[in-house]
Amino acid sequence: MRMISLLMAAAACAVASPAMAEQKALVAECTGSGARFFLSDLTITEASVSAGTNVPSSSDGVLIVGVGERPYWSFAARKQIDKDCGGDGQDEIELFPGGLQPRDGNWRTTVKAARAQGCPQMLASAIAAKTEAPQTTTRRINFPKPFDPNELPRDFNPGHSWSAAGDNRWTASIFNQGIDFGAGGSQKTSVNLTMELISETEIRNSGSVKISLPAIAQKTLNISGDCRVITDSVSTWIGD
């Protein structure tokens, strides 16, 4: 499972109150058959930056996450959130979410070609032109027990600081920088990594470069919104 460090841009967050800068975020993971509620290791402000959302208007929000869905904050009651996620209306908050443990042994990691979303055509074409076949490596890994990405071997996790962001899901913010052009607006760039433990034999990683350009630059380049360059990888256990 080779970690990928990419530059990426982070969406701007509204100014948070002191309470939201300290209070841990309540997360609801939609599973299709309900929601799993748990407190994140991240504060509300940190979770907003990590998830790419605005800071909620109050500390009563619940961060909704789910496979294939963009995270967002909800102010509905937990029972209603569970129903909206396909459940029967439970509202229990888990004290110790997660718990999957990857198997020690030989793992094969396949790094997929980078892809662009919402980027200028020139950049998207350049990325497509440089697209290579998936790169595959194999290595033996003995995982920390219980599993913690911060305790992985140094060559496997070169200094990233991971924070829980869901059930068996972690994020790391590698880079955050903005340039203020005054009346012309600002450009913001950041790098985020995501690791998700799917099962004891599968781990998925994603690195994303996100660049937020000033409105005048977006108009000139004929784009709207943020430009993202994403690289995904999948690691699978292949035997002892």
Side-chain angles (χ1 to χ4, degrees), residues 119-216:
C119 297
Q121 185 58 46
M122 182 174 60
L123 176 58
S125 298
I127 292 173
K130 293 184 177 180
T131 297
E132 301 176 352
Q135 302 176 22
T136 301
T137 58
T138 301
R139 62 166 292 182
R140 180 171 181 81
I141 307 173
N142 292 319
F143 291 97
K145 299 175 178 59
F147 179 75
D148 181 351
N150 291 300
E151 300 299 326
L152 289 169
R154 197 66 172 176
D155 61 335
F156 196 75
N157 179 31
H160 304 324
S161 179
W162 295 93
S163 299
D167 192 21
N168 299 303
R169 186 175 183 272
W170 298 264
T171 60
S173 178
I174 307 303
F175 178 85
N176 253 313
Q177 182 174 302
I179 302 175
D180 188 355
F181 296 107
S186 62
Q187 176 178 316
K188 298 179 181 180
T189 306
S190 68
V191 179
N192 282 343
L193 304 177
T194 301
M195 178 187 297
E196 187 171 7
L197 183 53
I198 304 300
S199 70
E200 64 176 9
T201 59
E202 181 179 349
I203 300 173
R204 297 179 186 174
N205 292 274
S206 182
S208 178
V209 177
K210 179 182 173 185
I211 304 174
S212 300
L213 296 172
I216 188 171

Side-chain angles (χ1 to χ4, degrees), residues 5 18 20-21 34 40 87 90 95 103 148 181 196:
S5 293
M20 286 188 280
S40 171
Q90 75 86 25
L95 297 180
R103 298 183 63 171
D148 181 351
F181 296 107
E196 187 171 7

